[in-house]
Amino acid sequence: MVLQLPRRTLSLDAPVVMGILNVTPDSFSDGGRHRTVGAALQRAREMIGEGAGIIDVGGESTRPGSAAVGESEEIDRVVPVVEAIRRELDVVISIDTMKPAVMRAACAAGAELINDVYALQAPGALDVAREAGAAVCLMHMQGQPKTMQQAPHYDDVLAEVRDFLAERVAACEQAGIPRSRLCVDPGIGFGKRLEHNLALLARVDALAAGLPVLIGVSRKTMFGELLGRPVGERLPGALAVAAIAVWQGAAIVRVHDVRATADAIRVAQALREFRKAK
Ligand code: YH5
């Protein structure tokens, strides 16, 4: 399986690690924009060395309850970082945003994949993605980032997430974005309780519908709930999920801890291949 990018393809025959690069003021101590770009570039270089095949650049926190960021502020944060990575490093750049203007600016600066937790539902987003020729990750979320964890409810979480993603895939195709550019993501923690997250992670195989599946669980609240661990002690839990997701066929895993995840998913993929061959 491959993901079609604007001027090349990304092979997904082996699962790929997407390294998270937050460029929010709280993530890099603010010694001015120049220092921020340098620090972000250094972190990207480090994650590539640890095995990341995609760097996911994000300028707005979508953690539960976090505040929105203005469009021009978000562009000012992410575009210089995308430009620097494009100039200095050889890696697929993803832009983590819900805003069409940020998508357009980031793609013009060299981003090849749009990672949208709002699944291109913002007015104009489908057109921007088509015009950029970018690949797109369509994620499921119930509600809005600010309030999504207040009272998540589903009758059948797997069916509802699958139906939503199928509807967004159809919307993309109708807008002229071919399936070869798409991947889908159940949106772990986005308007979901622990039981919903577990139901989805246990059936990654059933979410695929022939498209690559991306899974993001790194440091998330589900490990606080399941294990009682603080953010800094959630890696073993996340590695277990990454391995089991890849075992079921997940193509991309979005993480903070690249080296450990790359090892875990290589082992899972080796076992998956061996099982397939027998
Ligand atoms: C995702 O799953 N997640 S941002 C809360 C945490 C820790 C981490 C401490 N963007 C995803 O990473 N894009 C985010 O608790 C994403 N899939 C895709 N495609 C949230 C995040 C986080 C939230």
Side-chain angles (χ1 to χ4, degrees), residues 3-221:
L3 189 62
Q4 191 65 49
L5 306 174
R7 281 164 297 276
R8 52 178 171 164
T9 60
L10 175 65
S11 172
L12 298 174
D13 289 339
V16 172
V17 175
M18 171 187 272
I20 299 168
L21 187 62
N22 286 319
V23 278
T24 50
D26 47 312
S27 44
F28 290 110
S29 61
D30 213 339
R33 203 127 266 160
H34 187 72
R35 295 235 329 246
T36 304
V37 172
L41 189 59
Q42 197 48 44
R43 180 67 190 130
R45 191 177 277 120
E46 183 175 53
M47 290 196 288
I48 294 164
E50 292 177 351
I54 305 170
I55 300 295
D56 189 38
V57 179
E60 176 183 34
S61 177
T62 35
R63 285 188 196 178
S66 56
V69 176
E71 184 175 284
S72 58
E73 170 63 23
E74 195 177 330
I75 289 172
D76 289 349
R77 286 181 190 173
V78 298
V79 163
V81 173
V82 171
E83 284 173 347
I85 297 172
R86 173 53 63 241
R87 181 164 12 92
E88 302 284 334
L89 306 171
D90 180 25
V91 70
V92 174
I93 304 170
S94 161
I95 179 68
D96 184 351
T97 189
M98 305 171 36
K99 298 190 186 74
V102 179
M103 296 171 190
R104 186 188 288 113
C107 289
E112 301 166 277
L113 197 171
I114 295 168
N115 175 27
D116 183 6
V117 302
Y118 202 48
L120 303 185
Q121 293 174 100
L126 287 164
D127 293 327
V128 167
R130 181 194 53 249
E131 284 160 17
V136 178
C137 177
L138 299 166
M139 198 196 79
H140 175 272
M141 167 167 58
Q142 186 179 84
Q144 309 282 323
K146 213 173 171 61
T147 53
M148 64 190 177
Q149 289 309 109
Q150 282 173 11
H153 172 82
Y154 300 85
D155 291 319
D156 181 341
V157 66
L158 184 61
E160 290 172 40
V161 168
R162 206 169 35 187
D163 289 352
F164 171 84
L165 293 173
E167 184 269 313
R168 295 315 299 157
V169 168
C172 285
E173 290 191 278
Q174 209 138 54
I177 305 167
R179 287 175 72 86
S180 58
R181 297 187 185 277
L182 302 178
C183 61
V184 295
D185 180 342
I188 299 304
F190 284 83
K192 285 146 192 123
R193 298 181 197 282
L194 177 60
E195 66 193 284
H196 303 134
N197 293 323
L198 294 173
L200 293 164
L201 290 169
R203 292 308 311 274
V204 169
D205 59 321
L207 288 167
L211 292 176
V213 176
L214 187 155
I215 295 290
V217 296
S218 189
R219 302 182 185 174
K220 282 187 179 175
T221 304

Side-chain angles (χ1 to χ4, degrees), residues 199-278:
L200 293 164
L201 290 169
R203 292 308 311 274
V204 169
D205 59 321
L207 288 167
L211 292 176
V213 176
L214 187 155
I215 295 290
V217 296
S218 189
R219 302 182 185 174
K220 282 187 179 175
T221 304
M222 64 171 282
F223 302 108
E225 294 168 330
L226 204 52
L227 305 171
R229 301 282 188 236
V231 169
E233 297 175 18
R234 294 177 182 173
L235 179 57
L239 295 177
V241 171
I244 291 167
V246 164
W247 172 252
Q248 296 176 76
I252 304 173
V253 184
R254 180 182 180 276
V255 300
H256 302 85
D257 305 280
V258 172
R259 188 181 145 87
T261 305
D263 278 3
I265 69 175
R266 272 174 66 187
V267 171
Q269 179 67 8
L271 288 164
R272 178 176 165 82
E273 291 286 332
F274 207 81
R275 184 181 174 93
K276 198 170 67 182
K278 292 289 128 178

